Amino acid sequence: LDRYGVAKPLVSYHEHNEASRAEDLVRELEQGKRIALVTDAGMPGISDPGFRLISLAVKRGMPVIPIPGASAFLAALAASGLPMDSFRFHGFLPSRSGQRRKVLESIRSSNETEIFYEAPHRLEDSLADIVEVLGASRPLVVAREMTKFHEEFLRGSAREILGVLAARGDIKGEVTLLIAKLDE
């Protein structure tokens, strides 16, 4: 904002205050003020705070005008090399292995590229679950730090990528996990 000379009042809006702030911000819209929901990474509302504000504004008849920004899952899909004709974005995989395995079971015979976000500290565990549930040879892409300086793509089988990441140790950054459709 400094770079472009934008010096409007800034209001912190995040997952911990989203419910209470949404009402205040829509009230300002109703009073004729203009607001912009801006994020430092990703697209507001797509696995990022924003849904409550957008939903409330729409419900109250306020215009919502999107200005697309970087979206990690779309950028990852576009460069993944996996089929893009049919895909499904799920948001984050469940943190607990049992719940995560149920989600993976539900996509075992999927005819779509399946896309998830994953926390870097859970990535190895999730890949191990994928090997167990979907099979070691299931093609995957792990896209890390999309549109950022340390952007990286790891392409291969579930077992191969798990081996690469296990040997690496500490994994950092935002992770997008793309799972090829069955028999890809």
Side-chain angles (χ1 to χ4, degrees):
L1 294 173
D2 290 340
R3 179 178 181 170
Y4 294 104
V6 177
K8 301 288 181 181
L10 300 178
V11 176
S12 175
Y13 183 80
H14 48 76
E15 65 181 318
H16 303 293
N17 71 5
E18 185 178 14
S20 60
R21 283 275 161 84
E23 182 66 43
D24 296 339
L25 293 170
V26 169
R27 197 172 307 116
E28 288 189 28
L29 287 170
E30 290 172 334
Q31 295 169 1
K33 292 184 180 176
R34 293 182 181 193
I35 65 169
L37 179 58
V38 179
T39 182
D40 61 353
M43 176 85 176
I46 306 296
S47 287
D48 217 16
F51 170 74
R52 285 187 176 98
L53 175 59
I54 295 163
S55 177
L56 187 58
V58 167
K59 197 178 293 182
R60 300 248 183 104
M62 308 305 301
V64 174
I65 302 164
I67 301 172
S71 174
F73 86 86
L74 283 174
L77 177 63
S80 70
L82 298 178
M84 294 177 251
D85 59 329
S86 183
F87 64 90
R88 185 170 26 175
F89 173 66
H90 298 265
F92 281 87
L93 274 168
S95 59
R96 292 194 173 115
S97 182
Q99 294 169 328
R100 186 169 50 239
R101 285 174 177 246
K102 283 182 184 175
V103 169
L104 294 171
E105 280 287 341
S106 76
I107 66 163
R108 180 190 302 251
S109 57
S110 173
N111 292 319
E112 304 175 298
T113 297
E114 303 288 346
I115 308 169
F116 298 90
Y117 287 152
E118 185 53 285
H121 65 278
R122 288 195 311 253
L123 184 57
E124 284 186 62
D125 291 339
S126 292
L127 290 172
D129 285 344
I130 289 169
V131 167
E132 287 292 318
V133 175
L134 302 180
S137 62
R138 188 71 168 252
L140 303 179
V141 174
V142 171
R144 198 178 62 75
E145 292 294 277
M146 294 308 307
T147 75
K148 297 177 184 171
F149 184 74
H150 296 288
E151 181 176 279
E152 174 183 37
F153 285 90
L154 298 173
R155 297 174 178 91
S157 72
R159 182 184 313 275
E160 290 167 342
I161 293 175
L162 177 57
V164 166
L165 292 174
R168 186 180 288 182
D170 194 26
I171 302 161
K172 296 184 179 182
E174 296 174 352
V175 176
T176 305
L177 174 61
L178 300 97
I179 302 172
K181 59 186 179 180
L182 188 63
D183 295 321
E184 209 30 58

